[in-house]
Amino acid sequence: MDKETITAQLRTSRSNAKFPLHEHDSELVEQVLDLVRSHLEDKDPTIGQMQLRSDLNSALDGLISAEGAGLSGAMKAFKNIIEPSLISCASPRFLSFIPSAPSQASILFDAIVSAANLNGISWIENSGVIAAENQMLSLLATYAGLPPGAGGCFVGGGTAGNLSSLATARREAERRSISPRGDARYRVAVSDQAHSSVSNSLRLLNMEPLIVPTEEYRMTGIALRQAISSLHDDETLAAVVATAGSTNLGVIDDLSGIADAARDSGIWFHVDAAYGGGALFADAARPSFKGIEHADSLVVDPHKMLFTPYDCSALIYRDPSMARDAHTQHAAYLDPMHNNHEQEWNPSDYAHHMSRRARGLPFWFSMVVHGIDAYSQAVERTLEIAQYAARLIKETEHLTLLREPDLSIVAFRREGWTEGSYYAWSRKLQEQQLAFILPSRVGDSPIIRLAFVNPLTSFHLIDTILSTTEDQSP
């Protein structure tokens, strides 16, 4: 068989090849879009119920097969097995953890990010996408008061942002020849209220925490200075992590005092504002963030208080070149990405990741559609809801407000309840599909914690929820 015949046969076989994975299926498109539409139109989705692992494993068993279950089988499995177990964190009734209430514009454009399979790793691949993401990073940096030139990238969440920021802080300490003696490890000052990801990041980076005690759950500059003065001569402090909106109680640290202490000690100043940073868009809350403008690095999660789908966290550096020095990966196939630092901006250079979806683009699209004022109004509404709840709690005899809310987390105790009472009350609310509220703890004491990020949460819902605490033993 001659070469021309072989080539012709190859062309014919390729043109006739069928790959169902990549064929357009109009019915599939319509059914999935109908499902998307139904979720978007449901402004108050049901809370749902957690299912037992054994039940779910049994129900899903056999669905993955050599032949596949087809579109009808897959849709049936989702609607009958998976969907009933969904606890919608976008529901106005979801008040645990830190919820997420993405705008419809951001949800729909997140679908475009997936449909276009946008890879947000480098400028050379998707320069327009990264320019749009950088516009959002610049906006957040401006609201935080950081100087022109501040920037970074979007990562999957505050945990990834904290890890990458502290890796940069460590690298900067090494660059400045600030090294621990002998086998000692770098220390990082953190409060006893810092997010769990901070201590985990330090463990991964072979660094040790210097725990700074808090006053009313808030780290102060004075306490930081006292902790620094207690260090031994062979201990080296590389950074301090302040919190602008703690996850459990929503407390904003003394950012100004901590910034001064960090500057005087010559250490990196990182601010974890993953939850609270969205409140920078609210005029009433912005003064509480005084000092954040001095941060060397900053994390803000738009998927929390800025109405963006999971997973979207903004990681911003005062001087991005320091992060680039810490994170840029080098390999022969990557070299074309780094030909011109003056023109490029590669998100892979500013965090520990490499491959990444363009997770900042839905945030950008929604902001362009609705404008800053709409975002500010929505954020301010969540703060108003928190203030309303706090006032009502103080007016209720059997409830004790733990502290005045800094932001949109309200914590309180129900007098006379045991820990079991709190959990029984939580289960009852979920069974009634009234709200999803899990108990938390402060020290050894159980508390009720309400986290508001959805402007659609109504005052009436708060009235109803608090009225259910009247039962002495739920």
Side-chain angles (χ1 to χ4, degrees), residues 13 50 82 154 157 175 179 186 296 317 325 352 389-390 421 452:
S13 65
M50 181 184 72
I82 296 175
F154 285 96
R175 189 188 68 80
S179 301
Y186 283 112
D296 293 300
Y317 301 94
D325 178 59
H352 70 278
S421 301
F452 302 106

Side-chain angles (χ1 to χ4, degrees), residues 30-305:
E30 290 304 316
Q31 288 201 33
V32 171
L33 290 180
D34 284 344
L35 190 60
V36 170
R37 190 175 293 109
S38 69
H39 278 272
L40 289 173
E41 291 173 350
D42 189 357
K43 297 187 183 302
D44 191 5
T46 58
I47 296 300
Q49 292 283 352
M50 181 184 72
Q51 306 295 315
L52 294 176
R53 181 169 60 178
S54 57
D55 290 344
L56 285 172
N57 288 345
S58 176
L60 294 170
D61 187 42
L63 285 172
I64 306 299
S65 65
E67 300 80 13
L71 173 58
S72 61
M75 292 297 289
K76 182 179 178 180
F78 178 79
K79 291 180 178 179
N80 295 340
I81 302 172
I82 296 175
E83 199 165 36
S85 73
L86 300 182
I87 299 178
S88 174
C89 60
S91 168
R93 302 172 185 272
F94 188 110
L95 304 177
S96 281
F97 306 118
I98 302 292
S100 176
S103 68
Q104 289 205 350
S106 65
I107 292 170
L108 287 167
F109 213 77
D110 199 40
I112 297 297
V113 171
S114 295
N117 195 30
L118 297 176
N119 183 7
I121 179 178
S122 68
W123 186 267
I124 198 171
E125 289 174 278
N126 281 299
S127 54
V129 166
I130 294 166
E133 287 190 324
N134 286 350
Q135 189 177 28
M136 298 312 296
L137 293 168
S138 178
L139 177 67
L140 292 170
T142 298
Y143 268 79
L146 293 175
C153 63
F154 285 96
V155 295
T159 295
N162 287 333
L163 175 62
S164 298
S165 297
L166 289 170
T168 303
R170 178 190 172 105
R171 175 63 175 166
E172 180 60 12
E174 293 170 343
R175 189 188 68 80
R176 295 166 57 197
S177 301
I178 304 173
S179 301
R181 298 181 184 179
D183 295 331
R185 296 186 290 176
Y186 283 112
R187 303 290 295 274
V188 174
V190 300
S191 84
D192 54 18
Q193 300 294 311
H195 191 268
S196 57
S197 67
V198 175
S199 59
N200 192 49
S201 295
L202 296 181
R203 180 180 61 80
L204 293 172
L205 293 168
N206 197 32
M207 301 166 84
E208 289 187 9
L210 171 66
I211 303 298
V212 181
T214 54
E215 181 179 340
E216 293 294 314
Y217 316 107
R218 184 172 185 256
M219 181 165 67
T220 65
I222 293 174
L224 174 60
R225 290 180 187 274
Q226 291 173 343
I228 292 173
S229 67
S230 70
L231 288 170
H232 298 124
D233 291 341
D234 61 348
E235 293 180 306
T236 302
L237 195 65
V240 57
V241 178
T243 304
S246 59
T247 307
N248 199 33
L249 299 177
V251 178
I252 300 175
D253 285 339
D254 170 23
L255 302 179
S256 184
I258 295 168
D260 290 343
R263 181 184 61 248
D264 293 345
S265 300
I267 59 174
W268 187 273
F269 176 36
H270 173 62
V271 178
D272 178 1
Y275 153 59
L280 287 165
F281 284 80
D283 291 340
R286 201 171 302 125
S288 300
F289 291 87
K290 181 175 172 54
I292 199 171
E293 68 274 9
H294 300 297
D296 293 300
S297 55
L298 169 68
V299 173
V300 179
D301 285 3
H303 67 222
K304 290 187 169 74
M305 203 183 286

